[in-house]
Amino acid sequence: MSVKTVGVAVEQTAYHFDKPFDYILPDYLDCENIVGRRVLVPFGKGSAERIGMVIYENALDKAPENLKRVTDVLDREPVLSAEFIKLGKYLSEQTFSPLYDCYKAFLPSGLNIRRSSRYFAAKGSFDLSSFSRPIMRIYRLLEENPKGLTREELLCQEGISPESLSKGVRDGLLIKQEDARQGVSDATVRTVRLCEGYDLSSQKLTEKQRRVVNFLADTGAATVKEICYFTGVGESVVKNAEKKGLLEIYDDEVYRTPEVLSGQSERITLSKEQQAAFDTFGGMLDSQKAGCGLLYGVTGSGKTKVYLELIEKTLKMGRQAIVMVPEISLTPQVLAAFKGRFGDLVAVFHSRLSMGERLDEWKRVKRGEAKIAVGTRSAVFAPFDRLGLIVMDEEQEHTYKSEASPRFHARDAARFRAAENGALLLLCSATPSVESFA
């Protein structure tokens, strides 16, 4: 029987020894599409648990004896596609950054995994008098809290230090457990629907309960607040109907959509020069081959009109588009223009969004509900699978260069993605950079 092993890019590694590390994937964790998911793995001599990204898998007849095992799989489905696995390797080589740092940059901050340590009292009989006073105090606190206490909860107690926690674990008196959780949870709302095969004839319903059942029979599903508002009943009526087996209350995921003013969609008429530019780049789009072009024109010459028409053409081809603009240019008026023309097909990425809003916009793109990503530098990593057009407005701006690890330039990442997807990269500027103009 073959053994499945996975290559993992591990967090907190220095570039000079950074590489994919092989681990055995235990049978009880074996799952389809493991590549692109984050895992928890033991790392180093002390086997401290760290987070890593699976970037390949192998099936071996016999695994090396010294190979460690994956502790846990942290994602229910892959968060990175094969394209982003390749892009991460490319950026790591270009920017001399650790692999995991590159993969982490592709994900919204709300999707980052937060780790915390929880301590428990070890079971058994111990001679507490042989331990120091702080360790004895920790042990008694944990005995009083069988569900354990976090590192932060213990350290806020007087006289307890990180050293005493570490020594208690080494001496076997304390048990340390690592928890890994997503940084921002999904937004949900309590929703109600009728149970399948419900039988009204076998139930004696009050008038209020009957109003709730009839309302759900018409609507299919509704939130608890909507039911209370439209039927004039209290929450207790809904809960009592659930106890009778008529209703099912469940958590339904909702999006935290950023507030963007919607502008008016105006019909665009291209001038002779604009039409010539559109025809040139439209032909490149039709070829569905990777290409790069420079839309060069003075301020006010109508470059935006040209790439708006190109986006429209891209959508009609069944493909998706990314539009990057500098932070200073991403005004409410710019976003309103896109929303006014393309509506809910637009996902927005910029620093003024909350972590939850960024996470939900990323999910809308990944699930195919949004076809256009508009934003700053980070929009280049929008997880589209049929990318046809990447627009980089004011491409000469220095804000497209990341100042944090990995120190990539959005133009380089855009070129890579265009090549992988057979897409058109359109650089737009009134004052292009020297290399783009050349």
Side-chain angles (χ1 to χ4, degrees):
M1 185 176 178
S2 63
V3 178
K4 182 178 281 190
T5 64
V6 291
V8 180
V10 183
E11 67 174 345
Q12 299 174 17
T13 55
Y15 180 74
H16 67 273
F17 69 83
D18 181 54
K19 64 171 186 175
F21 295 90
D22 288 337
Y23 288 87
I24 294 173
L25 187 66
D27 292 338
Y28 64 88
L29 291 177
D30 193 5
C31 49
E32 294 182 5
N33 302 323
I34 188 67
V35 175
R37 299 196 203 195
R38 289 167 297 182
V39 292
L40 208 58
V41 294
F43 188 78
K45 291 182 179 179
S47 291
E49 288 193 329
R50 293 192 186 179
I51 299 168
M53 179 70 69
V54 177
I55 58 177
Y56 62 79
E57 62 177 321
N58 287 316
L60 304 177
D61 293 332
K62 186 178 180 181
E65 293 181 3
N66 62 344
L67 226 54
K68 298 178 181 180
R69 293 172 175 266
V70 173
T71 305
D72 196 9
V73 179
L74 302 177
D75 294 307
R76 289 175 299 205
E77 58 184 29
V79 292
L80 293 182
S81 64
E83 178 194 347
F84 283 101
I85 297 295
K86 292 173 68 175
L87 178 56
K89 295 175 183 176
Y90 168 76
L91 290 184
S92 176
E93 293 169 359
Q94 292 292 311
T95 63
F96 302 101
S97 302
L99 269 169
Y100 186 82
D101 286 0
C102 296
Y103 294 130
K104 187 178 177 181
F106 302 156
L107 303 175
S109 53
L111 204 63
N112 290 342
I113 299 294
R114 291 183 178 177
R115 292 167 56 201
S116 61
S117 301
R118 183 171 286 272
Y119 292 84
F120 300 86
K123 294 182 179 179
S125 57
F126 299 96
D127 181 12
L128 294 182
S129 62
S130 62
F131 295 94
S132 66
R133 186 172 296 176
I135 295 178
M136 289 169 56
R137 185 153 182 260
I138 296 169
Y139 185 79
R140 291 197 175 103
L141 277 171
L142 294 174
E143 275 190 321
E144 295 169 4
N145 296 274
K147 292 184 178 181
L149 294 172
T150 65
R151 177 184 174 88
E152 292 73 22
E153 289 171 335
L154 288 169
L155 290 179
C156 71
Q157 301 287 332
E158 187 177 351
I160 296 178
S161 65
E163 291 75 20
S164 56
L165 287 174
S166 299
K167 193 171 188 315
V169 172
R170 286 198 305 271
D171 293 343
L173 195 64
L174 312 178
I175 296 174
K176 180 182 177 182
Q177 180 178 305
E178 294 283 351
D179 289 333
R181 297 181 181 179
Q182 186 174 302
V184 175
S185 58
D186 296 332
T188 57
V189 61
R190 286 199 305 156
T191 307
V192 185
R193 62 189 170 203
L194 293 172
C195 292
E196 289 186 15
Y198 68 94
D199 185 9
L200 289 177
S201 61
S202 63
Q203 298 285 349
K204 190 173 181 180
L205 303 181
T206 65
E207 175 58 31
K208 290 183 178 179
Q209 288 174 346
R210 192 170 295 279
R211 289 211 303 266
V212 171
V213 170
N214 291 338
F215 177 75
L216 288 173
D218 293 335
T219 60
T223 66
V224 174
K225 285 186 177 181
E226 288 172 337
I227 291 173
C228 295
Y229 179 80
F230 286 106
T231 62
V233 304
E235 285 192 31
S236 59
V237 176
V238 179
K239 290 178 181 177
N240 288 333
E242 182 193 23
K243 290 177 183 177
K244 289 184 177 182
L246 295 173
L247 314 177
E248 177 188 358
I249 301 177
Y250 62 99
D251 288 331
D252 190 28
E253 185 180 353
V254 294
Y255 291 130
R256 291 157 285 210
T257 306
E259 290 186 15
V260 177
L261 297 174
S262 182
Q264 294 294 322
S265 177
E266 298 180 4
R267 183 178 180 83
I268 291 177
T269 303
L270 300 180
S271 67
K272 185 178 179 180
E273 291 81 3
Q274 291 167 348
Q275 186 65 47
F278 173 79
D279 292 340
T280 299
F281 296 123
M284 296 174 72
L285 274 178
D286 288 332
S287 71
Q288 299 197 25
K289 293 180 181 179
C292 181
L294 175 65
L295 184 58
Y296 175 39
V298 298
T299 303
S301 59
K303 296 186 293 296
T304 304
K305 290 182 179 180
V306 175
Y307 69 67
L308 282 173
E309 290 295 293
L310 288 170
I311 292 170
E312 185 83 55
K313 181 179 177 68
T314 302
L315 296 182
K316 289 179 180 177
M317 294 170 66
R319 306 187 78 182
Q320 301 137 341
I322 292 173
V323 181
M324 287 183 284
V325 296
E327 184 83 45
I328 195 170
S329 301
L330 194 63
T331 62
Q333 290 77 17
V334 170
L335 295 176
F338 279 95
K339 280 284 188 179
R341 177 153 185 173
F342 301 109
D344 291 337
L345 294 178
V346 177
V348 179
F349 296 88
H350 62 81
S351 61
R352 294 188 295 275
L353 300 184
S354 69
M355 290 173 64
E357 287 172 337
R358 272 178 275 178
L359 173 61
D360 288 351
E361 290 293 88
W362 181 87
K363 286 192 291 190
R364 287 181 59 228
V365 170
K366 190 166 179 61
R367 293 169 180 173
E369 297 171 22
K371 307 293 184 184
I372 306 165
V374 180
T376 51
R377 183 178 60 230
S378 61
V380 74
F381 300 135
F384 288 124
D385 55 3
R386 284 185 51 79
L387 190 58
L389 175 66
I390 305 175
V391 177
M392 197 167 173
D393 203 7
E394 302 296 338
E395 63 89 27
Q396 81 288 349
E397 285 289 332
H398 70 279
T399 54
Y400 285 124
K401 178 78 164 65
S402 172
E403 297 300 326
S405 179
R407 290 178 171 82
F408 70 95
H409 198 296
R411 185 173 52 222
D412 297 331
R415 281 200 177 109
F416 184 94
R417 295 205 67 188
E420 285 291 307
N421 290 273
L424 169 64
L425 170 60
L426 185 62
L427 306 174
C428 306
S429 179
T431 55
S433 58
V434 174
E435 60 266 40
S436 297
F437 190 77

